[in-house]
Amino acid sequence: MAGDVAARFLQAVLHGPRVRRLLSDEHFSVDGTLIEAWASMKSFRRKDDGGDPPAGRNAERDFRGERRSNATHASTSDADAWLFRKGEGQSSRLCVMGHLLMENRNALIVDAALTRASGTAEREAALAVLGRRKKARRATLGADKAYDVAGFVDALRDGAVTPHIAIDGHVRKTGKPRKTRIDRRTARHPGYAAS
């Protein structure tokens, strides 16, 4: 309910005549961020555990040796919070993801979304917010290298959006650089460098 109110408020602001003049309908950027949930790791319990939680408000939990995943466990205090880690060597946390679509002319936020945290959430949310915009003409989308995935880039092109995505050229464990879907035809334009 609160999210619906915020979305309606954002749309009312964006449709105001003074703001509307500032908006570009051609050039956008998208990104996502982790939002740590207000749920304790102690609330992340097995889904099939019908037993009562340990006594006491802050009862002890020993997680050592226990394998936990979103498939087998869930937070008892925030069902939307998923266990997620941003990268290798970082700790897993209960969180959700926030996503923003920004137009690039004046750096104004034109859409937002909140999703469960997953390895594909940023790309899925980007396609969803782009799908809600009015398609007056072909657009460009700037994004970081996490969006350099074949299926996402192909979906953008199918939707009349030119991907201005940073190339993820990290070297794999095999010693070969990762393949990118961003071709020279796209990367050679000055607009790509600006994005």
Side-chain angles (χ1 to χ4, degrees):
M1 181 87 167
D4 293 338
V5 171
R8 286 195 306 258
F9 177 75
L10 177 61
Q11 290 307 312
V13 169
L14 293 174
H15 285 75
R18 285 194 269 176
V19 174
R20 198 173 190 80
R21 284 191 310 244
L22 299 173
L23 298 177
S24 165
D25 62 351
E26 296 176 346
H27 305 291
F28 299 92
S29 293
V30 68
D31 204 4
T33 189
L34 288 178
I35 301 170
E36 197 161 345
W38 285 12
S40 166
M41 286 298 290
K42 294 176 184 179
S43 75
F44 197 62
R45 307 184 144 279
R46 288 194 64 80
K47 291 178 180 178
D48 60 4
D49 183 16
D52 294 328
R57 181 172 170 254
N58 218 0
E60 291 298 318
R61 287 286 316 260
D62 182 13
F63 297 119
R64 288 203 170 98
E66 183 181 340
R67 293 193 58 81
R68 296 170 289 159
S69 75
N70 294 315
T72 58
H73 289 66
S75 172
T76 57
S77 57
D78 185 351
D80 291 327
W82 275 18
L83 193 61
F84 190 78
R85 69 178 178 171
K86 193 71 171 175
E88 289 292 322
Q90 295 185 2
S91 64
S92 295
R93 297 184 175 149
L94 287 174
C95 51
V96 295
M97 290 186 105
H99 313 274
L100 297 175
L101 180 67
M102 180 181 74
E103 63 80 42
N104 289 349
R105 182 185 300 154
N106 290 295
L108 296 173
I109 295 168
V110 294
D111 205 342
L114 192 63
T115 65
R116 286 190 163 161
S118 75
T120 60
E122 285 184 300
R123 296 181 298 276
E124 291 166 356
L127 291 173
V129 295
L130 282 169
R132 292 193 291 254
R133 74 176 180 86
K134 292 180 181 171
K135 296 174 184 157
R137 58 182 74 141
R138 187 162 190 88
T140 62
L141 180 72
D144 63 36
K145 65 183 179 180
Y147 294 84
D148 186 10
V149 174
F152 179 71
V153 172
D154 292 343
L156 289 179
R157 288 185 174 136
D158 290 344
V161 177
T162 302
H164 285 189
I165 297 171
I167 295 172
D168 183 1
H170 77 269
V171 178
R172 295 177 183 234
K173 292 178 184 177
T174 61
K176 294 182 180 180
R178 188 177 176 283
K179 289 185 179 181
T180 181
R181 292 293 286 172
I182 306 301
D183 54 20
R184 289 185 194 175
R185 181 179 43 135
T186 301
R188 69 185 164 127
H189 290 285
Y192 176 83
S195 290

